[in-house]
Amino acid sequence: VSSEQRVRVGLGDRSYDIWIGPGLLPRLGELAAEAVPAGRLFVVAHPRLERLHGAALLASLEPRLGGVLHVPAGERFKTLHRAERLYDELLALGADRTSVIVAFGGGVIGDLAGFVAATYMRGLAFIQVPTTLLAQVDASVGGKVAVDHPKAKNLVGAFHQPRLVVADTEVLRTLSGRDYRAGLAEVVKHGAIADADLFAWIESSQQVLERRDPEAVAHAVRRSCEIKADVVARDERESGLRAILNFGHTVGHALESLTGYTTLRHGEAVAIGMAAAARLSERLGLCEPGIAARLEAVLAGLRLPIRIAGLRADDIIAAARSDKKAVGGALRLVLLRRLGEVEVVAGAPEEEIRRVLISLGAVE
Ligand SMILES: NC(=O)c1ccc[n+]([C@@H]2O[C@H](COP(=O)([O-])OP(=O)(O)OC[C@H]3O[C@@H](n4cnc5c(N)ncnc54)[C@H](O)[C@@H]3O)[C@@H](O)[C@H]2O)c1
Ligand SMILES: [Zn+2]
């Protein structure tokens, strides 16, 4: 009996499957043969992750393996400069237009390898093998690939859908507690924006989630992928609906940028951002009182931060305004109607946003 599950991302002739479950890495070769029958495979990975989990994966790809390309761990390597080095290595290894890029790692590897796949020889087939919870529930699904620019994160990128995503939930065992919890923030987000049942399940599952119970983790990953896949299938290029995935991200991105992308994990910044969005939703009368407290209780229960320390409210607002997702400098916030339903709101009164940030600990 196999315990894995499959989620389909429906995008016409660019549709693909996300496989989720324990022990999938040794089957990657077989799954890849179905999704992309021909071409040599080039794996992009961190050396440490390859040592931890690479053996079974590489053995299963062996007959088609063209090479393993290494990138050191860390957001600071998600650059055009690194992409260029990868082009050089691919060229030296004889990668051609039939070759396939396999991203084996967290969101950094997925975004960087995906960007290389989108651009090398005008685009190669691409397989995502996400190894962090954040990448399994979010980054590996939806086709956004990018590298950072010194002035802005994810500034240079493309839409390039993978042909296959394989999320082996067993590899999450070796993830640091902080990275694991940061991934849970995006699961909470999926519940808050689209699925009250998922949200209630998280509320009652904090202990099993905390100890990374395999069934609980697989459920969290599957529901997240289903929700994200559904949103992406209806709005692949973010002309509307897809913006709801940015719940908590306007303030979250501002906090990340103000703290130099090193103090806070992305998911931690999003947790604080979700608390802010929920409080603002209440203040503006968009949702009933008590919703913010419920959301904050879940986040705190998962040991995610919900307080802003040492930053000025005005600086956070200014940073949010300069985010690339702001249109013409106007803040567009994703706010809650209730748990499981959100709305994109433009032009929320700045004074209200300030009040909310201060209530969360920002400096006046
Ligand atoms: N494309 C998208 O839609 C999208 C969405 C969300 C985030 N992102 C991007 O994702 C990136 C963040 O991703 P992340 O949080 O996965 O960070 P990450 O890729 O840097 O991984 C975090 C750390 O965990 C290590 N690691 C990975 N898998 C491991 C495992 N199984 N066991 C032990 N250690 C492991 C990595 O080496 C790294 O040090 C950001 O660059 C962000 O912009 C992209
Ligand atoms: Zn996010």
Side-chain angles (χ1 to χ4, degrees):
V1 182
S2 59
S3 51
E4 82 268 354
Q5 324 204 24
R6 196 161 33 147
V7 174
R8 182 95 177 147
V9 187
L11 291 166
D13 59 2
R14 279 168 292 106
S15 298
Y16 53 94
D17 286 330
I18 306 166
W19 289 82
I20 300 157
L24 284 171
L25 288 188
R27 293 183 49 202
L28 186 63
E30 163 206 333
L31 298 172
E34 229 174 87
V36 198
R40 287 201 296 154
L41 306 170
F42 293 85
V43 176
V44 182
H46 298 316
R48 180 170 166 266
L49 199 66
E50 188 193 339
R51 282 195 300 276
L52 274 173
H53 299 291
L57 170 128
L58 294 177
S60 94
L61 298 181
E62 172 38 44
R64 289 174 69 185
L65 194 61
V68 182
L69 289 68
H70 289 129
V71 179
E75 179 80 30
R76 69 180 192 284
F77 295 102
K78 206 179 101 177
T79 60
L80 209 46
H81 175 69
R82 266 293 148 173
E84 263 188 84
R85 283 186 49 167
L86 291 171
Y87 302 142
D88 293 345
E89 289 175 49
L90 286 169
L91 210 51
L93 290 165
D96 61 23
R97 293 177 58 187
T98 69
S99 298
V100 183
I101 302 290
V102 179
F104 179 49
V108 166
I109 286 283
D111 278 11
L112 172 65
F115 180 80
V116 166
T119 47
Y120 184 81
M121 295 188 176
R122 294 205 181 81
L124 303 185
F126 174 42
I127 293 174
Q128 287 266 28
V129 186
T131 63
T132 63
L133 185 58
L134 181 95
Q136 294 194 352
V137 300
D138 188 357
S140 67
V141 179
K144 281 192 186 178
V145 297
V147 293
D148 297 334
H149 181 273
K151 297 255 184 236
K153 229 185 128 192
N154 297 325
L155 186 78
V156 182
F159 285 97
H160 190 60
Q161 297 293 344
R163 301 274 287 272
L164 168 71
V165 181
V166 177
D168 185 334
T169 46
E170 223 164 76
V171 304
L172 301 178
R173 296 214 156 275
T174 53
L175 203 58
S176 76
R178 234 185 128 181
D179 280 312
Y180 176 72
R181 290 192 293 276
L184 287 177
E186 301 279 3
V187 181
V188 172
K189 179 192 80 179
H190 288 129
I193 65 171
D195 184 356
D197 290 342
L198 174 62
F199 191 88
W201 175 82
I202 300 167
E203 279 180 318
S204 63
S205 306
Q206 298 198 1
Q207 268 133 28
V208 282
L209 284 170
E210 177 69 31
R211 52 163 208 271
R212 308 187 198 186
D213 170 83
E215 269 180 42
V217 172
H219 179 72
V221 174
R222 180 175 61 84
R223 276 308 292 144
S224 286
C225 288
E226 283 170 351
I227 289 164
K228 183 158 185 190
D230 182 56
V231 171
V232 168
R234 289 194 275 157
D235 178 22
E236 186 180 4
R237 294 187 168 236
E238 197 164 332
S239 47
L241 179 73
R242 190 164 174 167
I244 70 171
L245 296 170
N246 294 324
F247 177 58
H249 282 59
T250 310
V251 166
H253 284 150
L255 298 173
E256 283 185 281
S257 113
L258 288 173
T259 53
Y261 299 99
T262 48
T263 328
L264 288 168
R265 294 281 194 284
H266 172 70
E268 294 170 346
V270 169
I272 301 169
M274 289 192 289
R279 286 189 182 198
L280 184 63
S281 310
E282 276 186 22
R283 275 186 88 93
L284 299 178
L286 269 168
C287 69
E288 57 186 49
I291 299 283
R294 234 180 115 187
L295 179 65
E296 288 172 31
V298 162
L299 295 169
L302 296 170
R303 291 196 284 144
L304 282 159
I306 45 173
R307 301 281 302 170
I308 300 165
L311 294 172
R312 291 183 55 238
D314 287 334
D315 292 344
I316 299 170
I317 293 172
R321 279 198 188 296
S322 64
D323 194 89
K324 74 177 187 305
K325 295 231 167 88
V327 181
L331 280 183
R332 297 178 77 228
L333 293 163
V334 183
L335 299 179
L336 285 172
R337 299 282 261 156
R338 58 179 65 84
L339 288 165
E341 190 185 336
V342 284
E343 185 178 307
V344 179
V345 173
E350 201 160 295
E351 188 48 29
E352 298 295 329
I353 304 174
R354 257 174 59 82
R355 290 283 136 229
V356 161
L357 295 173
I358 290 162
S359 79
L360 286 167
V363 179
E364 200 157 353

